[in-house]
Amino acid sequence: QKHAKKIMGFYKHNFQFREPFQVLLDGTFCQAALRNKIQIREQLPGYLDGATQLCTTRCVIKELESLGKALYGAKLIAQRLEVRNCSHHKNPVSGSTCLLSMIEDGNPHHFFIATQDQDLSSKVKRKPGIPLLFIIQNTMVLDKPSPKSLAFVQKLQTNQLVPEYQKQSIVELKEKEGLVKQEGEKRRKRKRAGGPNPLSCLKKKKKKTQEGQEPSAEKKKRRKRKRNR
């Protein structure tokens, strides 16, 4: 559990994983849990230290159905899980292909992948930010962050990379709050404040004309007095 808490802290802090944690199970994981008598629904929340939602896809269930009696128990476990919609309604694909499609585009739904399939595990590790669960003997284990996830976080810390889902959420928040319009209004106000006041300029011109008229009037009066004399 100490090992799992440390890894969960990494995913919570760097990839915004929150409860309830959504765990996608494939047929191999269900079969391993049945063979090792692991109560996934009861044990996994305590191991991950948070509420969990166990789920799968229709492709995984159909794959188990096609394999017959050998995986009948695993099929029953999968049928009791929550079913997440995939894009293979008309043309079902293999369970591993379906689960990989569920974590595309940066894993926006924050899925965990629970599998015993080594080929699927290696493909999951090539994508950053996807926690991987598997079973060793009688124990569920949360795999340590992959090198891809560690490299991704290092780039984030040096401000070299921003995840796609964060870019979209930032744009949506700005549009909802109207921050883009407010920034434009502030810039316009600053430009107006920097210009000269036209009224002050007019007042100064009037004063100058009045001052200039006074001496000319005095000169005319003096000339008239001299003529009269």
Side-chain angles (χ1 to χ4, degrees):
Q1 285 183 348
K2 290 181 181 179
H3 174 80
K5 283 181 180 179
K6 184 178 179 181
I7 296 171
M8 286 304 302
F10 172 84
Y11 286 108
K12 287 178 182 178
H13 179 71
N14 296 298
F15 294 96
Q16 290 75 47
F17 276 76
R18 297 291 181 267
E19 296 181 43
F21 305 122
Q22 298 191 82
V23 184
L24 277 172
L25 284 72
D26 72 348
T28 62
F29 192 88
C30 294
Q31 179 68 10
L34 181 66
R35 187 186 303 116
N36 292 282
K37 298 180 180 180
I38 295 174
Q39 302 294 327
I40 307 171
R41 198 177 297 276
E42 288 75 19
Q43 295 179 22
L44 193 56
Y47 179 64
L48 297 180
D49 193 27
T52 59
Q53 289 182 348
L54 303 179
C55 47
T56 189
T57 65
R58 291 184 180 88
C59 293
V60 171
I61 295 173
K62 287 183 178 181
E63 183 181 50
L64 289 170
E65 289 174 350
S66 66
L67 294 172
K69 295 181 180 179
L71 294 174
Y72 179 75
K75 183 193 73 172
L76 292 178
I77 294 173
Q79 286 176 341
R80 295 172 186 172
L81 305 176
E82 296 182 21
V83 177
R84 293 288 180 265
N85 293 325
C86 63
S87 58
H88 314 112
H89 300 288
K90 295 181 180 179
N91 300 313
V93 296
S94 65
S96 59
T97 303
C98 185
L99 293 191
L100 284 173
S101 71
M102 298 292 285
I103 55 175
E104 289 180 349
D105 302 324
N107 193 19
H109 299 291
H110 300 93
F111 285 123
F112 288 64
I113 297 295
T115 183
Q116 298 295 101
D117 186 344
Q118 293 183 357
D119 183 58
L120 175 58
S121 298
S122 63
K123 290 178 180 178
V124 169
K125 290 179 181 180
R126 294 173 194 167
K127 299 177 181 290
I130 303 167
L132 184 64
L133 280 161
F134 53 88
I135 294 173
I136 297 178
Q137 295 180 354
N138 299 324
T139 308
M140 287 183 292
V141 177
L142 179 62
D143 197 15
K144 63 182 180 181
S146 66
K148 283 283 184 182
S149 295
L150 295 173
F152 187 87
V153 171
Q154 287 179 354
K155 287 182 180 179
L156 284 177
Q157 290 175 350
T158 55
N159 295 323
Q160 293 179 1
L161 183 63
V162 178
E164 290 297 327
Y165 66 90
Q166 285 188 1
K167 286 180 181 178
Q168 293 177 359
S169 61
I170 289 169
V171 172
E172 289 174 0
L173 286 172
K174 281 187 175 182
E175 289 178 353
K176 287 180 181 178
E177 299 295 331
L179 293 175
V180 178
K181 293 181 180 180
Q182 290 179 3
E183 288 175 0
E185 289 176 359
K186 287 180 181 178
R187 288 176 183 175
R188 289 176 184 175
K189 287 179 181 179
R190 286 176 184 173
K191 287 181 180 179
R192 288 177 182 176
N197 189 352
L199 295 175
S200 62
C201 295
L202 290 172
K203 288 180 180 178
K204 288 179 181 178
K205 288 179 181 178
K206 287 180 179 179
K207 288 181 180 179
K208 287 180 181 178
T209 52
Q210 288 176 0
E211 289 174 357
Q213 288 174 358
E214 287 178 1
S216 61
E218 289 178 359
K219 286 180 181 180
K220 288 179 180 179
K221 288 179 181 179
R222 288 176 183 175
R223 286 175 184 174
K224 287 180 180 179
R225 287 175 184 175
K226 286 180 180 181
R227 289 174 184 173
N228 292 329
R229 287 177 183 176

